[in-house]
Amino acid sequence: MHLIIAEKHIAAKRIAKILAPKEPKQVRVSGMDTFEYKDPDAEDRTVVMGLSGHIVQLDFPKAYNNWQKVDANELIDAEVITTPTHVKIVAALRKLGKEATHVTIATDYDREGELIGVEALNIIRKVNPDVEFDRVFYSAITKTEIEGAFENPASIDFDLADAGHSRQVIDLVWGASLTRYLSISAGRLGKLFLSVGRVQSPTLALIVDKEKERQAFVSKPYWEVNAILKDSDDAMVNVQHKNSKFWEKEEADAVMEVVGDKASVSSVESSKKIDKVPTPFNTTEFIGAASSIGFTASNAMRIAESLYTNGFISYPRTDNTVYPESIDLRAQIEIFSKGPFREYAQKLLAKDKLVPTRGKKQTTDHPPIYPASLAKKSELNEQEWKLYELVVRRFFATFADEAEWETMKVRFDISGEEFKANGARLVQPGWRWYYPYNAPQDRLLPALSEGDVLDVTGKEMLDKETQPPGRYGQGRLIKLMEDLGLGTKATRHEIISKLYSRAYVHGNPLQPTKTSFAVIEALEKYAPTITKHDMTSQLEEDMNRIAEGNVKEENVLNESRKMLHEVLAELANNSENISESLRAGLREDKVIGECPDCGSKLMVRRSKRGSRFIGCNGYPDCNFSLPLPKSGQIIVTEKVCEEHGINHVKIINPGKRPWDLGCPQCNFIEWKKTQEEEKAKQPKVPIPDKITDVPGIGKVTAEKLKNAEIDTVDELRQANAIELSKITSLPAGKIMKWQELVT
């Protein structure tokens, strides 16, 4: 039996359909669907099965799971074991592997794909040591690519798989050791542990350092002087003084004083500007383009992966920006000569010669991202179509002509002061006709000649101030990570997702939380190696050398462990300072403003029962408090409520969109208002005379309330529910419900 192993179920299904002479038969093996067919020319049947990405994971033995007993240093040299993550898939591999005479690995061709294929092969070789095996490489799941790949099988690249494996080991050991050390130092255990990583921490440092740059920025006031002109045909022209910024208000006032009611054209300069044709998409460029039209990096890559496995685009994880000669580019464009893109395809096909642009990066593993087949809009959802269209249009644009702009620079004399206006008009759309995203708008000026006189119909002086540098958007951050050698094309978007899920950042552009500041400031001060890109980019280079066969995986792993021992030694030498720094910083992350009753700090707190609330540092003298949602990580944002002076709050739950709670006090007031409105709709119920008459309050509960000096219905009604909850250990929500019943 010939066993073909693909990386995903959907890929296996498509490959089977392409290779089978007729519709393949779906057969269930150990609870997993496989696809079986018989080639008339073959002696035995063929089975195609899909994995689910990695089917095993690396971990430490259970003895190392106790954070309090096992020191972070012990993890560095601990044994790393492999455990199955998909038991049914492993069982199916073993069962089919015993029967197989020939195994073909057809996973994606990159480090991860090679490792995933080798993981599956190792499981099979344990039950069938002598099985023959080979490898097929393809960049799109289309009939031409798949048939060509299986006609030319190759060998498995075990060096490439070792490079992928080394990354897993290094990331596990570095992440686990550093995370454990810092979390224990900060007293942040359980779900709120402080995540640290070889790539994650230098990336977070970039974001925090940018925020510090913004905070250190001192805005400088300046003034602009503008005027509105009208020509003889009543066309309006907006002009600006030649000094775009006046740093002294008196100078701007002096110009405003002399501006009269006539303006004469002192010079007109026309020229042409060329927009160069864009290069083909690699992963970084694709994410940047997707980000500019509203996609997060992780969402863009998730959708791109789906488009790839369904055969609509080529492999989306690539560094290449040069189309290889093996792709028949004219034939690829001809695919689109029918359908919604036919007008664009036909215009390109009318060219005598198709010459695409070439980017700076050329690799041999995968081509740039290109559309592999024609999709119907009905086959894709709105988001998928949006990204598919982006890929199609970029592909077309790389064969198009340059875009040409006609520009005009006009200078005016108004009472001896020089003003200016710039115009631009797209005269040859070129590639922008195919790829209209983020195109600059025409800035049209009327026909003007030197000596023309226009009326000044208005003038204004605007007071402005310089702005701090912008935060990183996801696309821009991924480009910077690539430039610094942080992560790979396959992992950068995942690193950013992790920063969000660990509540280190929020929003887009990315804004760091106070927890981020606490972690990065402690690391930069006491173990700066972790926050610098040099260390991790060196490890990336070492992993590349493994893939090229120039160094053994064991040597790189030993070197990385040596580096990590040095880092932890740095931390250990400053353990007390790190602990103090982290704890002080994390306390700041809980502050949301000043108490309106006493002026003390309001902080996120926990009751004895574990419920969260906002309480006053002035307790017990001050009982001001506000409720918070039961679940989700709380992020205190920099936005402040104008009415209450309290910072707005966001709630982060894994797998869900962030909930922008806003001002907790406004939220609570609105909630009370809604409750009162709901209560008003209910039929009137007599207010109980005694505590024990309140539904839900029995003798035991009444005794607890009595011990808290709540003897009467009036006292219950007037009590602070959250404070009463702390004293009695009764749920605050129940107390509020009882208060509603007696109000």
Side-chain angles (χ1 to χ4, degrees):
M1 180 258 284
H2 181 196
L3 177 60
I4 298 171
I5 297 171
E7 193 161 320
K8 300 276 176 67
H9 173 80
I10 184 68
K13 186 176 181 179
R14 284 188 57 78
I15 289 170
K17 278 194 171 187
I18 290 167
L19 296 176
K22 58 182 182 180
E23 187 70 21
K25 186 166 63 171
Q26 190 165 307
V27 179
R28 206 153 177 81
V29 178
S30 300
M32 299 302 301
D33 286 332
T34 66
F35 304 92
E36 187 177 306
Y37 64 89
K38 178 79 166 61
D39 195 313
D41 299 328
E43 293 182 9
D44 212 344
R45 77 191 198 280
T46 298
V47 176
V48 188
M49 77 166 287
L51 307 175
S52 183
H54 288 286
I55 54 173
V56 296
Q57 68 177 6
L58 300 184
D59 203 351
F60 297 109
K62 287 185 178 178
Y64 292 88
N65 287 353
N66 191 316
W67 285 34
Q68 303 287 5
K69 291 182 179 179
V70 180
D71 185 74
N73 269 292
E74 293 181 53
L75 293 175
I76 301 176
D77 299 304
E79 177 192 4
V80 175
I81 60 173
T82 301
T83 58
T85 54
H86 294 79
V87 178
K88 288 182 179 179
I89 296 177
V90 171
L93 278 172
R94 286 176 179 151
K95 187 169 183 178
L96 292 169
K98 285 179 184 177
E99 301 176 51
T101 54
H102 180 196
V103 173
T104 296
I105 301 299
T107 49
D108 297 338
Y109 181 39
D110 58 11
R111 283 183 194 175
E112 288 301 303
E114 207 71 8
L115 178 58
I116 288 166
V118 168
E119 288 169 353
L121 180 63
N122 288 341
I123 289 167
I124 292 169
R125 290 172 77 184
K126 282 182 180 176
V127 296
N128 189 352
D130 300 321
V131 69
E132 292 182 5
F133 56 86
D134 56 21
R135 178 76 160 102
V136 292
F137 303 121
Y138 52 88
S139 293
I141 308 179
T142 60
K143 185 175 176 63
T144 305
E145 281 263 348
I146 295 300
E147 288 180 345
F150 278 86
E151 286 168 7
N152 299 282
S155 300
I156 291 175
D157 189 340
F158 286 99
D159 288 332
L160 189 64
D162 284 347
H165 182 260
S166 68
R167 175 186 300 284
Q168 285 192 334
V169 175
I170 289 169
D171 287 349
L172 171 69
V173 174
W174 279 72
S177 303
L178 293 171
T179 294
R180 184 170 297 192
Y181 184 90
L182 253 71
S183 297
I184 291 171
S185 296
R188 283 277 293 263
L189 304 179
K191 291 180 180 179
L192 295 177
F193 65 87
L194 293 178
S195 175
V196 186
R198 177 183 65 87
V199 180
Q200 175 188 310
S201 297
T203 303
L204 183 59
L206 292 173
I207 298 166
V208 169
D209 289 347
K210 176 62 74 175
E211 196 68 19
K212 286 181 179 178
E213 192 182 336
R214 286 172 54 83
Q215 291 174 353
F217 182 86
V218 178
S219 293
K220 189 176 177 183
Y222 67 91
W223 290 263
E224 289 179 0
V225 176
N226 303 318
I228 302 170
L229 313 182
K230 184 170 72 172
D231 71 1
S232 56
D233 295 322
D234 290 339
M236 309 303 285
V237 183
N238 292 312
V239 298
Q240 185 181 45
H241 194 273
K242 71 171 183 178
N243 295 337
S244 300
K245 294 183 176 72
F246 287 93
W247 299 108
E248 300 296 334
K249 185 175 183 295
E250 291 75 14
E251 292 179 15
D253 286 333
V255 171
M256 286 291 287
E257 282 291 324
V258 301
V259 168
D261 57 4
K262 295 292 179 183
S264 62
V265 177
S266 51
S267 68
V268 178
E269 183 185 330
S270 296
S271 60
K272 293 192 184 304
K273 175 177 165 281
I274 299 298
D275 274 358
K276 288 187 176 180
V277 183
T279 56
F281 269 154
N282 64 7
T283 303
T284 300
E285 293 296 324
F286 166 72
I287 289 175
S291 179
S292 72
I293 59 171
F295 288 87
T296 63
S298 60
N299 201 28
M301 288 306 293
R302 179 185 60 79
I303 294 171
E305 178 72 24
S306 173
L307 292 172
Y308 159 69
T309 54
N310 283 284
F312 294 123
I313 67 171
S314 64
Y315 192 56
R317 294 183 175 91
T318 175
D319 289 323
N320 201 353
T321 56
V322 178
Y323 297 123
E325 292 181 7
S326 58
I327 300 177
D328 186 339
L329 296 170
R330 184 171 285 274
Q332 208 60 36
I333 295 170
E334 283 173 351
I335 292 171
F336 298 91
S337 55
K338 292 181 180 178
F341 304 105
R342 61 184 175 277
E343 184 183 3
Y344 305 98
Q346 287 166 2
K347 187 167 181 179
L348 286 177
L349 293 169
K351 283 174 166 269
D352 293 332
K353 200 172 181 182
L354 290 167
V355 182
T357 52
R358 296 169 63 89
K360 293 179 181 178
K361 293 190 176 182
Q362 184 171 11
T363 61
T364 56
D365 52 354
H366 290 286
I369 303 169
Y370 68 91
S373 64
L374 177 62
K376 295 176 183 175
K377 209 166 185 178
S378 57
E379 294 177 298
L380 305 175
N381 64 36
E382 184 182 349
Q383 297 293 85
E384 289 170 335
W385 179 263
K386 203 172 176 182
L387 280 187
Y388 174 73
E389 183 177 8
L390 180 75
V391 172
V392 172
R393 288 184 174 279
R394 180 61 163 246
F395 177 63
F396 287 166
T398 61
F399 299 94
D401 300 322
E402 294 173 329
E404 186 179 307
W405 294 80
E406 185 181 82
T407 63
M408 185 185 292
K409 294 180 180 178
V410 186
R411 298 295 177 264
F412 301 85
D413 183 295
I414 307 178
S415 306
E417 293 290 338
E418 185 179 322
F419 283 73
K420 61 186 179 180
N422 296 324
R425 182 170 66 92
L426 187 63
V427 290
Q428 291 293 338
W431 63 271
R432 287 198 177 276
W433 181 66
Y434 299 91
Y435 191 79
Y437 305 97
N438 305 311
Q441 298 296 309
D442 284 355
R443 301 187 307 279
L444 300 178
L445 293 176
L448 294 167
S449 301
E450 194 172 327
D452 287 353
V453 177
L454 294 82
D455 293 326
V456 178
T457 61
K459 60 182 179 179
E460 64 176 357
M461 186 172 76
L462 303 176
D463 58 319
K464 295 185 176 183
E465 57 182 27
T466 53
Q467 297 300 307
R471 297 185 176 104
Y472 293 119
Q474 292 191 23
R476 185 176 160 212
L477 181 60
I478 281 179
K479 181 70 174 73
L480 181 59
M481 291 171 72
E482 181 186 47
D483 293 342
L484 296 175
L486 289 171
T488 68
K489 57 185 178 290
T491 62
R492 291 181 189 114
H493 67 282
E494 294 172 352
I495 293 296
I496 293 175
S497 292
K498 188 173 284 187
L499 294 179
Y500 279 106
S501 67
R502 294 308 311 159
Y504 280 141
V505 299
H506 63 96
N508 189 23
L510 291 86
Q511 185 176 345
T513 60
K514 290 177 184 175
T515 296
S516 302
F517 276 88
V519 170
I520 294 302
E521 284 175 354
L523 292 177
E524 284 183 333
K525 189 171 183 180
Y526 301 111
T529 310
I530 306 171
T531 63
K532 301 287 185 262
H533 65 85
D534 312 69
M535 170 273 298
T536 194
S537 58
Q538 178 58 52
L539 287 172
E540 294 290 347
E541 283 181 33
D542 290 342
M543 286 183 267
N544 288 337
R545 290 169 61 212
I546 295 172
E548 292 160 2
N550 295 329
V551 65
K552 291 293 181 187
E553 179 186 7
E554 185 181 356
N555 294 344
V556 172
L557 293 180
N558 288 339
E559 183 60 30
S560 82
R561 286 185 167 107
K562 182 183 172 186
M563 291 168 69
L564 184 53
H565 272 300
E566 291 171 359
V567 168
L568 278 175
E570 276 186 284
L571 292 169
N573 289 337
N574 297 283
S575 57
E576 288 187 15
N577 291 331
I578 289 170
S579 179
E580 186 180 329
S581 174
L582 284 170
R583 289 170 189 262
L586 293 172
R587 276 195 298 274
E588 281 301 306
D589 203 19
K590 294 179 179 180
V591 177
I592 72 152
E594 285 189 1
C595 175
D597 291 352
C598 73
S600 299
K601 285 183 179 179
L602 288 179
M603 299 187 72
V604 177
R605 298 180 175 278
R606 283 194 178 273
S607 68
K608 290 178 183 177
R609 294 177 61 89
S611 60
R612 301 177 306 185
F613 67 98
I614 293 168
C616 178
N617 264 10
Y619 178 82
D621 296 326
C622 178
N623 287 329
F624 182 85
S625 60
L626 294 167
L628 283 170
K630 292 179 181 178
S631 61
Q633 282 189 276
I634 296 167
I635 292 178
V636 181
T637 73
E638 65 177 9
K639 189 173 181 181
V640 177
C641 174
E642 292 182 5
E643 184 178 352
H644 301 111
I646 293 175
N647 290 72
H648 284 211
V649 167
K650 279 185 180 178
I651 309 295
I652 307 292
N653 281 297
K656 295 181 181 178
R657 284 180 176 273
W659 172 21
D660 197 343
L661 184 73
C663 167
Q665 192 163 356
C666 290
N667 189 279
F668 181 59
I669 291 168
E670 186 62 31
W671 176 81
K672 284 183 73 175
K673 182 181 173 184
T674 305
Q675 293 294 103
E676 288 168 6
E677 288 172 354
E678 287 296 317
K679 185 180 176 184
K681 295 176 186 176
Q682 301 296 323
K684 296 290 184 184
V685 177
I687 294 174
D689 294 324
K690 298 186 294 184
I691 285 272
T692 49
D693 292 338
V694 178
I697 298 181
K699 289 183 178 179
V700 175
T701 302
E703 190 62 32
K704 286 183 179 181
L705 293 171
K706 186 175 182 179
N707 291 337
E709 299 182 357
I710 304 294
D711 292 309
T712 67
V713 168
D714 283 342
E715 288 169 343
L716 175 62
R717 184 188 305 118
Q718 294 167 19
N720 182 304
I722 293 172
E723 293 305 318
L724 186 56
S725 172
K726 290 181 199 173
I727 298 167
T728 61
S729 295
L730 295 168
K734 275 191 177 181
I735 295 172
M736 289 180 185
K737 193 70 180 173
W738 296 331
Q739 288 175 327
E740 288 175 31
L741 295 173
V742 299
T743 301

